[in-house]
Amino acid sequence: MGDMANSSVDFYPKSQRRELNHAGGFGCTLSELRSLMELRGAEAIQKVQETYTDVNGLCRRLKTSPTEGLSDNATDLEKRRQIYGQNFIPPKKPKTFLQLVWEALQDVTLIILEIAAIISLGLSFYAPPGEQSEACGNVAAGAEDEGESEAGWIEGAAILLSVICVVLVTAFNDWSKEKQFRGLQSRIEQEQKFTVIRNGQQAQIPVAELVVGDIAQVKYGDLLPADGVLIQGNDLKIDESSLTGESDHVRKSADKDPMLLSGTHVMEGSGRMVVTAVGVNSQTGIIFTLLGAGGEEEEKKDKKGKQQDGAVENNQNKAKKQDGAVAMEMQPLKSAEGGEMEEREKKKASVPKKEKSVLQGKLTKLAVQIGKAGLVMSAITVIILVLYFVIQTFVIDGKTWAAECTPVYVQYFVKFFIIGVTVLVVAVPEGLPLAVTISLAYSVKKMMKDNNLVRHLDACETMGNATAICSDKTGTLTTNRMTVVQTYMGDTHYKETPDPSNLTPKTLDLLVHAIAINSAYTTKILPPEKEGGLPRQVGNKTECALLGFVVDLRRDYQLVRDQTPEEKLYKVYTFNSVRKSMSTVTCMPDGGYRLFSKGASEIVLKKCTNILNSNGELRSFRPRDRDEMVKKVIEPMACDGLRTICIAYRDFPAGKEPEWDNENEIVIDLTCIAVVGIEDPVRPEVPEAINKCQRAGITVRMVTGDNINTARAIAAKCGIIQPGEDFLCLEGKEFNRRIRNEKGEIEQERLDKIWPKLRVLARSSPTDKHTLVKGIIDSTIGDQRQVVAVTGDGTNDGPALKKADVGFAMGIAGTDVAKEASDIILTDDNFSSIVKAVMWGRNVYDSISKFLQFQLTVNVVAVIVAFTGACITQDSPLKAVQMLWVNLIMDTFASLALATEPPTEALLLRKPYGRNKPLISRTMMKNILGHAVYQLTIIFTLLFVGEVFFDIDSGRNAPLHSPSSEHYTIIFNTFVMMQLFNEINARKIHGERNVFDGIFGNPIFCTIVLGTFGIQIVIVQFGGKPFSCSPLNAEQWLWCLFVGVGELVWGQVIASIPTSQLKCLKEAGHGPGKDEITDEEMAEDEEEIDHAERELRRGQILWFRGLNRIQTQMEVVSTFKRSGSFQGAVRRRSSVLSQLHDIRVVKAFRSSLYEGLEKPDTKTSIHNFMTTPEFLINDYIHNIPLIDDTDVEESEAPPRRRFRASPPQSPNKNNNAIDSGIYLSTDVSKTPTSSSSPVSPLHSMETSL
């Protein structure tokens, strides 16, 4: 690459000509830009200077202007897309329909059925020689009709056919789910916009429309969508952990390290960059390509086979010589979870998803219980049938097993086996996962209309169980349209905007400069869109309020900005959650400097030693003056619900330049210019929404960075706190003091004393928010575990949003980082949309309960009928194919019908279910058993005395292959009719009387009930042999219908029995109990900051880790044996890692705890980028660590190791050995070079096994 740089300098005209041919008229080729983006720091600057003289030179080559940006010329943009690519990483191909069919076929019960059906088919074609009907007992008696015994194959074929139906339905559902998910995904992607400058104007464009040469504005909280070179930056810090795995923030500046990479997060500051690489050519895109977003490399890799075993060893030895090489670690960017596509905005490694959602946990448990019961029942059925047959034939009738009779007997056994399998099929509720999927997908679609963009399907039902919401104040509860309503300057407290003529020119001038210069230049006040409307506020809303104040003082802030353009700002300390202030330094004409500062009043006032008096002169400002000011000015403003901001400045004399990096020495000795009170009015619909939440049993808490008085005033306006209630309002400091012990560790008992009453947490840091959320979720006091929803918009809310059961990010004000960590995005930033989410969530929960109630009634009845029928009459009254129709088809349709019920306001009138509330309540249990009793009574009556009642031939004890009887057809038909009417009963699960309430509001339900009825008529009248049916006459049909309608009457009878009297009823389907901590939760906790807890669980965690590690190492050993290619190793390692995610301790959390700094939740993705420009593949093979360094056992390492932010980076240390817990003569404290161990990683792993 160096040569290339030189050549382009030496032979400038020639290379220029060559590039022009290549790059369609632009002065840079694609490969040149790609190689430029692989450099870092000083090398990158050197390369830019050698090749382009400076960044402006690069802009000229790319035909763009650093200040005006590109022109919006469509042909130019299109040309750029053709040459440099689009900003779009092609997603993985979706699974084809056939793949989904193949997956659906993997279901165990279906496989058993298929085998049974095939055996049955095979035997039916085998005709034993000779006339042995006499010899083999009453086997073929009644099968005199030649045609009937010929039709023996039909049952097997029918079973196969119904299996095919089921598989197709399942596959189609999966396919539509995937399609919906992709639609949702592209919707999320369209949501993501980025600010660029085109034609000198700022414009927000969708990320996919960025092109090379665009000038992009980067600011705090952005997720960079493309690679670029910084043109100008203010205090810019980037979190590159998603590419390098380093959790420390990297400082970027145009003269030190101007390289900005896609997929990294802006943690502080702002700036402008020129886009140099997009889509697959950006750094993230290159990684995607390496990971084989397409499957081509997979196939190549498999073909290579095992021949490369030796090559690995060679490469490793070569690589060891390259001492400076840095391991390039990789990880899959998204674990293949539930057919989700590589989510574009999940650029970083996939994080372990939250533990199973509450509902999934309960359902899985329930399904397993039911499955076990079904298995036992089916086994008993088969055993009883076989024994009965054997005893009857060989003992009572005294026959011997003759060779020629074998096929006939085997046919009997196969028939019994099929009956057993049928019982199992009916017992296992296959409809359940389907119902959940349909219900969630339907809700997600509808929630879009209610401004909820759901990113994780299960968030939607979890929301229905929410018991607590921790909400931000600004923008969520308030309108986020801020205006300055009170000011204190020149010793006077103004209750409205002061008249400029009353202020001294000096003070006014300082104030205007302080506001105009010391705010992001991207923040503007634009003229209103409509005549007579309010001016539009663009950018940070607090700054908009201040700029609006300048406009109200009849001054023009834009003039000031034009005199001091952004490039001339000497130093900017941008706002962040630790500083809670922003400062800007400008150069004065006399050679000195002036610093302007603004921020939270109590923080900035502490740094003030002077204040401007009414004449605009300095007067000293002592601590007691400050206390008086807080009492007389700041507290009254805060009690009116105003946010107070102090504006100050400081002059530095010419001569010795101060040390700008030492911020504590710079931002002191300030002179206060003014204190302003900014009003952010409460959204008009919020009090009503909060009232609804409280009625629905959800506690709303406000967590804000604002002053406690302001917070309390707003909370009272919203109705979060009501007079006469017992509540707590705390500041972050006080909160921490109360929950930590002497050692400074958080104690759950202390937290448990506080959170139930806490309503407002003010002046809180992101860590406080996280601590509160975690404390509430982990708390076991009270009769049920809490389910917590959190709203957040800032980068620093990431950890809390992740930890919460449901994280809501703001769609408008939210930063990309917050959206990334969230489960649901509120597209209108409005609290009342959260209430809609609660409604939909509860509706999902209810839909699934409705379906369960229906499904379990079917299952209980069908299993008991099949079981007892088989035991008493040697044949199930409901045949295998009929069972399959009832079970699979009706379940599928019923899940569709019951899962698409629209929600009603009534859902908000009951308390949330919470975590450990069982799925099947007492009322539901009463309904299930009540209806089962009715149905069993009817069916057994029909089975044993039906032939007398209807005056028809009995269908009991029919021999093999006998024709289908009317008797059994009536039983089957009655059974289906009862299910149909019970489906209407299942619409209500809380014991309501009117089951028809709102039935016409759900066209899907009506269609399905009528459709099922129609198909049933066809099956009975024309189903014939395959369905073992014979046609019924009108009178028989009317009786079947009459019995079915009886279900509705019986439902009313059941509803009259008070549930409270039935103490004997057990609930079922509990969530995990308090003591059952699942592995996933354990992994979650391992990620948490809380230290005291980690100590307690260490034993269990070590055990899990040990297990995991052994599995991993086995996989890795075989991997190394199988494949020597770098990609193979990387890709296999990535699959290993994706299993290991959940036990990795998040580095950033650790470092943030011990250094006392706020750091976002780094998503433990570890693409360690090369510091060396040459990209030699064999450098990397030897040193792909199996497990992230952070995973070294804390207990094995020296005690001090636990407090280090991250392990020392040794370029060539044999990590494998250390990771496997065997120290091969290496020591953490040794120098990197001496620690490169002589033993090959392969060897060390095998020893450790």
Side-chain angles (χ1 to χ4, degrees):
M1 250 179 261
D3 310 340
M4 198 171 100
N6 296 340
S7 69
S8 62
V9 175
D10 302 343
F11 313 107
Y12 192 74
K14 191 154 109 192
S15 71
Q16 178 74 21
R17 246 171 302 159
R18 189 182 68 235
E19 282 172 349
L20 287 180
N21 301 341
H22 273 279
F26 297 109
C28 309
T29 59
L30 179 59
S31 55
E32 193 181 311
L33 288 174
R34 259 180 81 155
S35 58
L36 171 68
M37 290 320 292
E38 280 170 7
L39 303 176
R40 302 282 174 278
E43 287 176 336
I45 289 191
Q46 186 186 346
K47 174 84 200 256
V48 169
Q49 285 168 350
E50 284 174 3
T51 320
Y52 314 108
T53 63
D54 61 2
V55 182
N56 291 340
L58 174 63
C59 291
R60 281 195 295 281
R61 292 263 198 108
L62 288 172
K63 299 195 173 167
T64 178
S65 145
T67 49
E68 298 289 306
L70 294 176
S71 63
D72 248 338
N73 176 351
T75 48
D76 175 50
L77 296 178
E78 191 44 49
K79 189 170 158 196
R80 288 172 192 271
R81 283 197 192 98
Q82 277 167 359
I83 294 168
Y84 298 114
Q86 297 182 322
N87 195 21
F88 170 70
I89 295 176
K92 267 211 328 220
K93 288 198 190 80
K95 287 185 181 152
T96 58
F97 189 68
L98 287 175
Q99 282 172 309
L100 291 169
V101 167
W102 177 243
E103 278 179 14
L105 276 170
Q106 311 296 317
D107 186 25
V108 185
T109 42
L110 288 182
I111 292 174
I112 297 175
L113 264 179
E114 285 155 29
I115 294 170
I118 290 166
I119 294 175
S120 163
L121 264 178
L123 287 171
S124 68
F125 287 126
Y126 173 80
E131 278 300 313
Q132 36 45 310
S133 55
E134 291 310 308
C136 303
N138 68 343
V139 171
E144 293 84 20
D145 182 356
E146 207 39 33
E148 283 300 342
S149 64
E150 290 300 293
W153 60 274
I154 290 185
E155 186 173 39
I159 292 179
L160 279 181
L161 197 75
S162 45
V163 166
I164 290 169
C165 273
V166 173
V167 166
L168 288 177
V169 169
T170 318
F172 177 74
N173 277 309
D174 284 347
W175 178 78
S176 55
K177 175 174 99 181
E178 181 138 325
K179 189 165 153 236
Q180 267 186 338
F181 187 82
R182 285 180 180 254
L184 172 69
Q185 205 51 50
S186 60
R187 166 84 196 259
I188 290 177
E189 276 164 30
Q190 286 156 10
E191 287 283 311
Q192 199 188 356
K193 291 200 161 53
F194 209 75
T195 314
V196 295
I197 298 174
R198 289 199 176 161
N199 292 333
Q201 294 293 319
Q202 278 185 37
Q204 289 254 330
I205 61 167
V207 164
E209 289 178 20
L210 277 175
V211 292
V212 170
D214 256 324
I215 305 295
Q217 290 272 11
V218 291
K219 60 181 186 310
Y220 158 80
D222 281 343
L223 173 71
L224 298 182
D227 293 356
V229 179
L230 190 65
I231 300 173
Q232 176 267 325
N234 305 321
D235 196 24
L236 195 60
K237 284 189 188 157
I238 306 274
D239 169 17
E240 290 189 348
S241 60
S242 55
L243 289 178
T244 62
E246 288 302 313
S247 56
D248 296 336
H249 299 170
V250 185
R251 201 178 267 277
K252 297 282 180 185
S253 62
D255 49 355
K256 299 236 172 52
D257 182 1
M259 296 307 191
L260 301 178
L261 307 174
S262 57
T264 58
H265 287 129
V266 183
M267 300 314 293
E268 265 186 49
S270 60
R272 283 206 315 277
M273 71 169 187
V274 55
V275 176
T276 53
V278 292
V280 284
N281 301 309
S282 66
Q283 291 300 316
T284 308
I286 292 170
I287 290 166
F288 263 97
T289 328
L290 277 177
L291 287 174
E296 304 83 46
E297 290 100 62
E298 285 289 340
E299 289 150 31
K300 287 183 204 152
K301 189 186 73 192
D302 294 341
K303 285 179 196 155
K304 283 188 183 166
K306 295 177 183 165
Q307 68 217 29
Q308 289 154 326
D309 211 359
V312 180
E313 300 285 357
N314 285 346
N315 287 345
Q316 285 177 346
N317 299 338
K318 271 187 227 160
K320 280 198 179 138
K321 294 168 196 159
Q322 307 268 343
D323 233 324
V326 176
M328 176 159 181
E329 313 175 20
M330 293 224 160
Q331 210 177 325
L333 298 183
K334 178 84 186 70
S335 54
E337 188 189 282
E340 298 178 1
M341 61 178 269
E342 310 297 70
E343 295 188 23
R344 259 289 317 291
E345 32 45 300
K346 285 224 159 169
K347 286 274 178 58
K348 288 149 312 314
S350 74
V351 213
K353 182 67 194 80
K354 305 203 174 87
E355 59 225 69
K356 272 203 192 119
S357 75
V358 182
L359 182 69
Q360 277 171 329
K362 290 179 183 177
L363 278 177
T364 315
K365 224 171 148 189
L366 192 69
V368 169
Q369 288 166 348
I370 295 173
K372 280 181 188 161
L375 200 61
V376 172
M377 290 288 270
S378 63
I380 295 174
T381 312
V382 174
I383 292 167
I384 289 177
L385 284 171
V386 171
L387 283 176
Y388 197 102
F389 174 76
V390 170
I391 291 168
Q392 179 71 40
T393 311
F394 300 119
V395 179
I396 298 175
D397 298 352
K399 295 206 171 52
T400 53
W401 185 302
E404 66 270 16
C405 292
T406 307
V408 183
Y409 292 145
V410 171
Q411 229 165 331
Y412 257 108
F413 290 139
V414 170
K415 178 185 167 187
F416 297 151
F417 181 64
I418 288 181
I419 291 173
V421 174
T422 314
V423 173
L424 178 65
V425 170
V426 175
V428 176
E430 296 88 355
L432 261 185
L434 190 66
V436 178
T437 311
I438 292 176
S439 180
L440 289 176
Y442 173 75
S443 307
V444 166
K445 222 169 176 174
K446 292 279 189 241
M447 282 167 80
M448 288 259 189
K449 295 195 175 77
D450 286 338
N451 303 311
N452 283 297
L453 180 61
V454 182
R455 290 185 59 223
H456 298 132
L457 275 182
D458 50 6
C460 153
E461 51 89 0
T462 315
M463 201 50 220
N465 289 323
T467 54
I469 298 176
C470 295
S471 172
D472 269 1
K473 174 178 78 72
T474 311
T476 315
L477 300 173
T478 59
T479 56
N480 206 8
R481 187 183 169 86
M482 306 204 187
T483 42
V484 173
V485 289
Q486 296 188 21
T487 30
Y488 177 86
M489 55 185 184
D491 296 341
T492 323
H493 188 162
Y494 299 96
K495 291 288 170 98
E496 59 255 359
T497 309
D499 186 346
S501 56
N502 298 344
L503 302 172
T504 51
K506 181 190 169 189
T507 312
L508 188 57
D509 192 51
L510 269 171
L511 182 69
V512 172
H513 275 76
I515 292 174
I517 292 172
N518 186 28
S519 55
Y521 277 35
T522 49
T523 306
K524 296 191 172 93
I525 301 282
L526 299 178
E529 281 171 344
K530 295 196 287 284
E531 277 294 307
L534 293 166
R536 279 182 301 154
Q537 298 186 337
V538 179
N540 179 313
K541 298 298 190 256
T542 312
E543 292 180 350
C544 285
L546 294 169
L547 292 174
F549 180 51
V550 172
V551 174
D552 291 343
L553 290 171
R554 304 200 275 283
R555 290 289 181 276
D556 186 0
Y557 66 86
Q558 197 55 52
L559 283 176
V560 179
R561 287 182 171 181
D562 293 343
Q563 289 160 6
T564 319
E566 201 166 3
E567 297 78 53
K568 290 203 182 152
L569 299 181
Y570 195 77
K571 172 87 182 146
V572 180
Y573 303 95
T574 47
F575 180 87
N576 65 27
S577 58
V578 184
R579 288 189 187 123
K580 291 215 188 301
S581 68
M582 170 180 176
S583 310
T584 305
V585 181
T586 57
C587 301
M588 300 300 281
D590 62 359
Y593 303 93
R594 176 169 284 171
L595 170 129
F596 292 116
S597 189
K598 70 165 191 294
S601 53
E602 50 265 58
I603 291 172
V604 177
L605 280 177
K606 278 187 186 141
K607 299 175 180 170
C608 288
T609 49
N610 295 297
I611 187 165
L612 293 178
N613 66 13
S614 50
N615 304 325
E617 289 146 4
L618 299 192
R619 115 177 120 70
S620 71
F621 185 67
R622 295 182 299 280
R624 70 158 186 269
D625 299 331
R626 188 175 72 231
D627 297 342
E628 189 180 350
M629 183 151 169
V630 167
K631 262 204 211 73
K632 297 240 173 99
V633 179
I634 291 170
E635 281 182 3
M637 281 187 185
C639 293
D640 293 340
L642 305 185
R643 167 183 272 189
T644 55
I645 301 280
C646 176
I647 300 164
Y649 78 102
R650 176 185 178 184
D651 283 334
F652 294 94
K656 182 170 165 290
E657 184 168 343
E659 192 186 322
W660 297 114
D661 284 342
N662 188 351
E663 193 184 330
N664 297 336
E665 292 301 311
I666 302 291
V667 190
I668 51 168
D669 292 339
L670 304 178
T671 303
C672 170
I673 306 171
V675 172
V676 295
I678 296 178
E679 181 184 45
D680 185 6
V682 172
R683 285 177 181 265
E685 63 277 12
V686 162
E688 170 60 12
I690 285 180
N691 187 14
K692 275 185 191 164
C693 283
Q694 287 161 342
R695 272 210 307 272
I698 301 171
T699 313
V700 182
R701 294 182 175 81
M702 179 157 97
V703 183
T704 173
D706 231 328
N707 175 315
I708 188 155
N709 296 324
T710 312
R712 195 184 285 130
I714 300 276
K717 283 183 190 166
C718 295
I720 291 177
I721 54 182
Q722 268 134 10
E725 265 187 5
D726 182 17
F727 58 81
L728 275 176
C729 292
L730 295 180
E731 282 198 335
K733 275 188 189 148
E734 173 65 9
F735 172 70
N736 272 308
R737 196 181 60 70
R738 291 197 190 188
I739 62 170
R740 292 178 190 274
N741 59 16
E742 300 72 55
K743 293 181 194 158
E745 291 165 351
I746 298 166
E747 285 188 1
Q748 187 68 41
E749 300 82 74
R750 292 174 180 237
L751 242 169
D752 286 344
K753 289 187 188 126
I754 290 179
W755 72 257
K757 287 184 181 176
L758 183 71
R759 290 293 176 274
V760 175
L761 182 59
R763 282 280 177 250
S764 67
S765 69
T767 324
D768 297 337
K769 192 171 189 174
H770 179 271
T771 308
L772 176 66
V773 171
K774 180 181 184 301
I776 298 179
I777 290 177
D778 292 350
S779 172
T780 48
I781 57 170
D783 48 358
Q784 57 173 7
R785 299 265 306 273
Q786 298 278 315
V787 177
V788 184
V790 170
T791 69
D793 52 5
T795 306
N796 42 32
D797 291 327
L801 286 170
K802 268 218 137 32
K803 178 62 194 166
D805 294 289
V806 184
F808 285 92
M810 300 297 141
I812 303 168
T815 57
D816 296 341
V817 185
K819 290 180 188 170
E820 188 84 3
S822 69
D823 301 297
I824 299 181
I825 296 173
L826 291 179
T827 48
D828 63 346
D829 286 16
N830 194 334
F831 186 84
S832 57
S833 302
I834 299 179
V835 181
K836 297 225 180 74
V838 172
M839 212 156 82
W840 274 108
R842 291 188 172 190
N843 191 49
V844 168
Y845 209 88
D846 277 10
S847 300
I848 287 161
S849 298
K850 287 171 191 173
F851 176 68
L852 261 177
Q853 178 176 311
F854 172 72
Q855 162 103 39
L856 291 180
T857 314
V858 179
N859 285 16
V860 168
V861 175
V863 169
I864 293 176
V865 167
F867 177 70
T868 45
C871 297
I872 297 167
T873 67
Q874 285 89 73
D875 185 10
S876 166
L878 298 173
K879 298 290 180 290
V881 182
Q882 296 174 351
M883 291 273 224
L884 282 171
W885 154 245
V886 169
N887 184 49
L888 300 163
I889 315 301
M890 277 191 67
D891 284 358
T892 307
F893 289 157
S895 63
L896 242 177
L898 291 168
T900 51
E901 291 269 315
T904 57
E905 285 280 333
L907 288 169
L908 292 174
L909 297 176
R910 58 177 177 76
K911 297 278 173 273
Y913 286 143
R915 247 178 233 275
N916 11 13
K917 169 96 168 48
L919 263 180
I920 301 174
S921 62
R922 279 232 179 110
T923 314
M924 284 168 63
M925 208 54 151
K926 177 183 76 175
N927 291 342
I928 291 171
L929 296 177
H931 287 294
V933 167
Y934 173 81
Q935 296 184 9
L936 287 171
T937 315
I938 297 281
I939 285 177
F940 284 134
T941 311
L942 286 175
L943 181 59
F944 295 113
V945 295
E947 70 271 30
V948 184
F949 183 77
F950 283 108
D951 190 22
I952 46 178
D953 296 336
S954 166
R956 290 195 302 284
N957 296 337
L960 204 60
H961 303 318
S962 57
S964 41
S965 65
E966 283 186 345
H967 182 192
Y968 274 17
T969 307
I970 290 177
I971 294 179
F972 166 58
N973 199 22
T974 312
F975 181 66
V976 173
M977 288 303 126
M978 290 194 292
Q979 301 320 325
L980 267 183
F981 285 99
N982 193 28
E983 198 168 329
I984 299 175
N985 274 332
R987 291 185 67 243
K988 301 290 177 219
I989 49 173
H990 297 295
E992 297 93 331
R993 289 272 176 188
N994 182 4
V995 288
F996 291 101
D997 178 33
I999 194 166
F1000 297 115
N1002 187 0
I1004 302 181
F1005 185 86
C1006 304
T1007 320
I1008 284 176
V1009 171
L1010 294 172
T1012 317
F1013 184 61
I1015 299 173
Q1016 177 63 20
I1017 295 176
V1018 174
I1019 287 176
V1020 171
Q1021 297 305 91
F1022 311 106
K1025 188 74 186 154
F1027 279 97
S1028 319
C1029 288
S1030 59
L1032 302 179
N1033 61 29
E1035 187 195 353
Q1036 290 163 335
W1037 262 104
L1038 284 172
W1039 274 111
C1040 292
L1041 266 173
F1042 172 73
V1043 174
V1045 175
E1047 268 286 330
L1048 294 173
V1049 182
W1050 183 247
Q1052 296 299 320
V1053 175
I1054 295 179
S1056 313
I1057 306 170
T1059 315
S1060 50
Q1061 300 300 309
L1062 305 169
K1063 291 277 187 289
C1064 54
L1065 285 186
K1066 278 277 194 299
E1067 300 155 319
H1070 288 262
K1074 288 183 187 179
D1075 312 328
E1076 310 169 32
I1077 301 286
T1078 59
D1079 315 5
E1080 288 111 307
E1081 284 182 30
M1082 193 169 271
E1084 273 294 287
D1085 283 354
E1086 179 59 356
E1087 278 192 29
E1088 296 311 330
I1089 304 174
D1090 200 330
H1091 203 85
E1093 248 188 1
R1094 206 186 296 155
E1095 298 290 340
L1096 297 174
R1097 294 236 179 100
R1098 168 155 305 131
Q1100 295 157 296
I1101 289 161
L1102 290 186
W1103 158 241
F1104 276 110
R1105 277 199 179 164
L1107 241 170
N1108 248 319
R1109 183 157 290 150
I1110 288 172
Q1111 291 169 346
T1112 307
Q1113 286 165 351
M1114 288 179 156
E1115 271 195 74
V1116 172
V1117 171
S1118 55
T1119 299
F1120 269 105
K1121 284 182 176 162
R1122 269 205 309 273
S1123 138
S1125 74
F1126 162 61
Q1127 303 212 325
V1130 164
R1131 192 176 293 102
R1132 290 215 174 79
R1133 170 169 191 272
S1134 64
S1135 73
V1136 171
L1137 272 171
S1138 59
Q1139 298 160 14
L1140 264 174
H1141 282 314
D1142 25 357
I1143 44 170
R1144 185 161 309 116
V1145 182
V1146 178
K1147 250 194 242 173
F1149 266 170
R1150 235 202 244 165
S1151 52
S1152 72
L1153 176 65
Y1154 298 122
E1155 297 159 17
L1157 291 168
E1158 272 33 289
K1159 293 208 176 142
D1161 185 356
T1162 65
K1163 304 213 173 170
T1164 54
S1165 128
I1166 42 178
H1167 308 304
N1168 242 337
F1169 259 66
M1170 9 341 140
T1171 46
T1172 46
E1174 292 82 13
F1175 180 63
L1176 290 173
I1177 281 179
N1178 48 0
D1179 286 4
Y1180 301 119
I1181 291 178
H1182 78 287
N1183 200 3
I1184 296 177
L1186 302 181
I1187 300 168
D1188 189 5
D1189 300 305
T1190 40
D1191 210 25
V1192 178
E1193 302 302 359
E1194 289 134 3
S1195 56
E1196 318 173 329
R1200 65 178 191 282
R1201 185 55 222 337
R1202 201 176 309 141
F1203 292 95
R1204 203 167 313 150
S1206 63
Q1209 277 311 107
S1210 52
N1212 204 359
K1213 185 177 9 154
N1214 188 337
N1215 292 0
N1216 307 340
I1218 295 179
D1219 278 338
S1220 52
I1222 294 178
Y1223 285 89
L1224 301 176
S1225 75
T1226 56
D1227 183 78
V1228 183
S1229 54
K1230 272 193 196 167
T1231 56
T1233 40
S1234 68
S1235 75
S1236 73
S1237 139
V1239 189
S1240 87
L1242 194 61
H1243 182 78
S1244 77
M1245 276 179 311
E1246 288 183 330
T1247 27
S1248 73
L1249 285 176

